[in-house]
Every structure is written in C-alpha cells, then in structure tokens.
Amino acid sequence: MEFLIIIILFLVSLPIFIFFIFPRQPSSHIGFKSYPIVGSIPGLVKNRHRFLDWTVETLSRCPTQTAVFRRPGNQQFVMTANPANVEFMLKTKFDSFPKGERFISFLEDFLGRGIFNSDGEMWWKQRKTASYEFSTRSLRDFVMTNVTVEINTRLVPVLAAAATAGESIDLQDILERFAFDNICKLAFNVDAACLGDDGADGVEFMRAFETAATIISKRFQSVVSYSWKIKKKLDIGSEKVLRESIVTVHKFADDIVRHTIDDQARSSNTNEDLLSRFINIEEMSSPELLRDIVISFILAGRDTTSSALSWFFWLLSKHPEVENKIIQELNSIRERTGKRVGEVYGFEELKLMNYLHAAITESLRLYPPVPVDTMSCVEDDVLPDGTFVGKAWGISYNAYAMGRMESIWGKGCDRFDPERWIDETNGGFRGENPYKFPVFHAGPRMCLGKEMAYIQMKSIVAAVLDRFVVDVPVKERPEILLSMTLRMKSGLFARIHERT
C-alpha cells in the first residue's frame, strides 16, 4: 500500500517537477500565465493561499476581464468578471451553460442532487416547487415571526451576557449558530438550539458541515483535477475526513426528514415549514432527495447570511461614519413608528431602512458569500467579449473580482461606500443590473431567498445596533477561508458593549 501511494504521489507531482527542471518563458503576461506541459498550474500552486486576490489581480489586467486557465490536456477553464459574459452565461444561452456532470460530481458527495447541484428536469422540478413556496405571503410572515423570536430569545441574550462579562466573543461563530437555528426552524420546524445550551447534536452537525464544505471546495483547487478521486478511492487524507463528516451530516438531515414525515402523519395540521411543503409533492418525496434538499437549505440559509453579516460587522468596525448613519436612520424610524429601543422591527419598518439596505448591499459587493460560481459549456461557443469556450470546458464568473473591477464600478471600487446605492433624488435604495452585481446569481437560477435574506440580515443588524456597540479590535482584513462560502479563517473576535 505504501509503495502504491508513493507511485501515485510521484505521478501527481511530475508536471510540477518538469516545470522546475525545464523552465520556459510564459506564453503571455496577460491573464493566467501558461507554461509548456503544466499550463497555468504553477500560478495556482503559488497563489492557492490567496486565490481570490490572485484572480482579482489577473482579471483586472485582462482587456475584457476574462482569462483562460490552462490545464494539462484539452479541458481548459475560463474565468470572467465581465457583466456581458455573465448575462450570456446565465440568461442568453442558459441551456448551454449547465452545472455539468463533471462539476456536479465534485459536490455530489455533499449536496447530492439538491437544487444547487442539479441540472435539467431534476433542477427544474425543485426550482418550480421552491419558486411557488417562496412567493407566498404566508412564508414571508413565517420568516418575520421566526426571526423575531430567535433574536429576542437567543441572539440578544447571548450578546447581553457577553457585554456583562466583558469577554471577547467570536461573532462569526455566534452568527453561524444563530443562522443555523433560524433556518432549521424556518425550513424544517426543528429547534436545533445551537445557540442555546442544549444543542449538542446541532453543534456536532455544524462542525461536520463546515469540515465537509471546506474539503469539498478544495477539490476545485486541486493541482491535478483527479487527485481527490484517488484519495477517495484509497480512503486516505482529507477524503477520509470528508467521508466521516458526511456521515454525520447525512444522519442529521435524515433525522430531520424522518421527524417531519412522522409529524405530518400524526397531525392533520398543515405545517408552514419549507420541508413539509416539499414532502407533500409526490415528485419530491423520496428520502434521498429530501435529504439533499435539507442540506441545500442549510447551506443557503446558514452559510450565506452568516458570511454576509460577519464581513458586514467587520467593515462597520472600520467605518464608524457608516454605523452612525445607520443609527440615525433607526432613530428616525423609531420616532415615526413609535418603536421602543430593543423592540424588533416589523416588515413595514424594515422597508424604510434604505441606508441599512444600501450598507448591507455594499458589503455584499465587496465580500459576496459565494465568491465564484462554476458551470460547464455543452458546445463550442464564443462569449460576447470574443473569448472562445470549448465544449466540456469549465467556466465561472467571479463575483468577488467583479466587485473590485474599476471597469464596472469606477475609481474607488475598493472603497466601502453605501452611498453608491442611494438615489440622490429621493434618498431611496437604487438597485443594480444583476449581471453587474450577481451576488444573488441571476437569470433562471436567480436566488429565490433574496428577500428572505434581506429580512433576516436587516432585522439582525437593526436589533444588534439598537442595543449594542460591536468593537472589533483588529482592523486588518481577516484571512479568508475559501469554503463553500466566504468565511473568516480564525473567526471575528469582538467585544460587545451596551449602547448608552
């Protein structure tokens, strides 16, 4: 066995070895540098620890903000930060750029064939069901009720205790626990109590979920694209850890499905949670698909909002002038509506928070929870900027890089400036073309939970800033942990003080 592993490692390392022994001049200084035999792999090896910033530097040098990453063999990879290309992929020729079996296989161990990891009829059925349910007012009211209860009974008491103790807390961890409890109640009508004292199962699941998501995401950055398959076959290294983590994830999801089905059988009442609505649709009712749906909902509802809010509170700590404007807006709304300090805002009050909406959106522009989204090309094609994309090539749009492109946002694109989202004529929020700002995706796969996400994020920020001052001592940007979403590698440690 050891001899076999040595042979495999030698074969995996051979292209890099050849590169260092027989160096060549790069084919181009624009885009991802490509070398004989090994293609663009050396740049990935050198910059894997700073992958997103490397892609920003690379794409900003390209005339159309699009570059080809060349791998050994015929299957290449295109990355773009060009809005016209994004619209072409996500809308104009949507059917030509599916997820694709190759990329679905990267995530299948973790996400199965849930809505985020499926194409064709399988995707369309889930999308159609979810689209109808997300459009109902009853779901929006359920979201408001649930987030209000969770803020009052879980989040505020935890922050108040931290303020009293004067201890530093990991705000990213708190937000992830809160978001996990919130999505479990909303989507499955299950109280995971992860932010409470009795949520041991939820905590174990969360840790396994984070481990699995991080390892899965690294498959996309493998120096040799099939190396993870070898480790999986041999059940060694990170793939062994992944397998063990997925066992925990699947058990938790299976228990939720079983609990919901049993609850429906016992009761004649119609439950409002999302999973119950899927169970009642015959095409969606297989236990395996329901498990995949559970995991997809947790990924969408926990990881995205907690990522967005972690980066938002860090940015706010660097920009007290933005925090002051949010406080002024909240004070103004309280005066108009009669709300007391500490009273959670309702849906109508949230709609009045234009500046807070703009500040959260500006944070999403700079730190999108899903920084890169990847698809496949089903036939030879040419993007609007003239870039050729071959059949079976991979292609991705880089939302993280798009937020930092001067060609899109002008000078000062790196600056955190909520005012860019405010209409100067009426002071209201001014949206942007989704293909210029694809943080919530765009086209037929546009995020159905966008309104729900803003309801939760605005409710949380307003409730926190009404009562507390969040003091983040470290102003340097936290190190990025590129998992399924954009996380902070060492958390976000802050001190909480009561606002006077």
Side-chain angles (χ1 to χ4, degrees), residues 212-475:
T214 301
I215 294 173
I216 282 282
S217 67
K218 289 180 178 178
R219 286 178 172 181
F220 287 92
Q221 297 181 47
S222 298
V223 173
V224 179
S225 59
Y226 51 80
S227 60
W228 66 269
K229 294 183 179 180
I230 297 173
K231 289 196 292 183
K232 179 182 177 181
K233 188 73 173 177
L234 297 175
D235 195 31
I236 59 174
S238 59
E239 288 296 319
K240 179 180 180 180
V241 176
L242 174 63
R243 178 183 57 76
E244 294 168 348
S245 299
I246 287 176
V247 169
T248 301
V249 170
H250 282 183
K251 180 181 182 303
F252 186 86
D254 286 336
D255 287 346
I256 286 177
V257 171
R258 192 160 45 249
H259 167 83
T260 306
I261 292 173
D262 291 346
D263 189 50
Q264 281 196 350
R266 286 193 303 266
S267 173
S268 59
N269 296 330
T270 302
N271 291 327
E272 294 181 285
D273 63 274
L274 286 167
L275 182 59
S276 294
R277 302 174 193 221
F278 273 88
I279 287 173
N280 291 329
I281 298 168
E282 187 175 349
E283 298 94 328
M284 301 282 118
S285 59
S286 79
E288 293 78 14
L289 180 55
L290 290 171
R291 180 185 68 198
D292 296 342
I293 290 170
V294 166
I295 295 170
S296 295
F297 275 139
I298 292 173
L299 177 65
R302 189 208 83 138
D303 285 37
T304 54
T305 55
S306 59
S307 167
L309 288 174
S310 296
W311 289 105
F312 175 79
F313 279 112
W314 172 73
L315 282 168
L316 214 59
S317 73
K318 288 169 58 65
H319 298 275
E321 74 284 358
V322 173
E323 181 175 354
N324 289 336
K325 287 185 177 181
I326 296 173
I327 295 297
Q328 290 172 18
E329 182 175 67
L330 297 178
N331 289 340
S332 174
I333 291 171
R334 275 205 309 274
E335 290 175 5
R336 292 160 61 184
T337 62
K339 285 281 183 181
R340 299 187 303 274
V341 173
E343 189 177 353
V344 177
Y345 297 89
F347 182 70
E348 293 304 317
E349 288 89 31
L350 293 178
K351 289 200 298 185
L352 299 174
M353 299 176 187
N354 290 313
Y355 188 79
L356 175 55
H357 196 101
I360 291 174
T361 304
E362 176 70 347
S363 176
L364 289 169
R365 181 182 72 87
L366 292 170
Y367 295 97
V370 182
V372 181
D373 205 353
T374 301
M375 281 133 301
S376 297
C377 184
V378 298
E379 59 187 359
D380 289 357
D381 214 330
V382 178
L383 301 178
D385 71 348
T387 303
F388 172 78
V389 186
K391 181 179 180 180
W393 285 21
I395 183 168
S396 69
Y397 68 87
N398 190 323
Y400 180 88
M402 292 179 76
R404 290 164 168 75
M405 289 294 138
E406 189 173 316
S407 59
I408 300 176
W409 300 99
K411 292 188 181 298
C413 57
D414 291 335
R415 189 173 68 249
F416 177 59
D417 180 16
E419 304 290 344
R420 74 175 81 239
W421 299 92
I422 298 294
D423 191 323
E424 295 180 359
T425 59
N426 59 24
F429 177 81
R430 183 184 66 237
E432 268 293 357
N433 183 327
Y435 304 103
K436 174 180 174 180
F437 177 69
V439 171
F440 291 94
H441 212 69
R445 284 186 183 263
M446 181 80 172
C447 176
L448 294 170
K450 179 180 178 180
E451 182 186 20
M452 182 190 301
Y454 270 112
I455 287 174
Q456 293 182 69
M457 290 188 291
K458 290 166 74 172
S459 296
I460 292 166
V461 173
V464 170
L465 294 187
D466 250 353
R467 287 197 51 175
F468 304 104
V469 176
V470 179
D471 176 22
V472 180
V474 179
K475 304 305 181 189

Side-chain angles (χ1 to χ4, degrees), residues 54 70 96 100 122 124 142 206 234 261 294 304 320 355 390 475:
W54 174 51
R70 303 194 180 278
S96 295
M122 176 70 76
W124 176 244
F142 188 49
M206 267 188 55
L234 297 175
I261 292 173
V294 166
T304 54
Y355 188 79
K475 304 305 181 189

Side-chain angles (χ1 to χ4, degrees), residues 1 5 12 23 66 109 152 255 305 470 476 484 492:
M1 176 63 76
I5 293 173
V12 167
T66 304
D109 292 340
N152 284 333
D255 287 346
T305 55
V470 179
E476 292 81 14
M484 294 288 289
L492 179 65

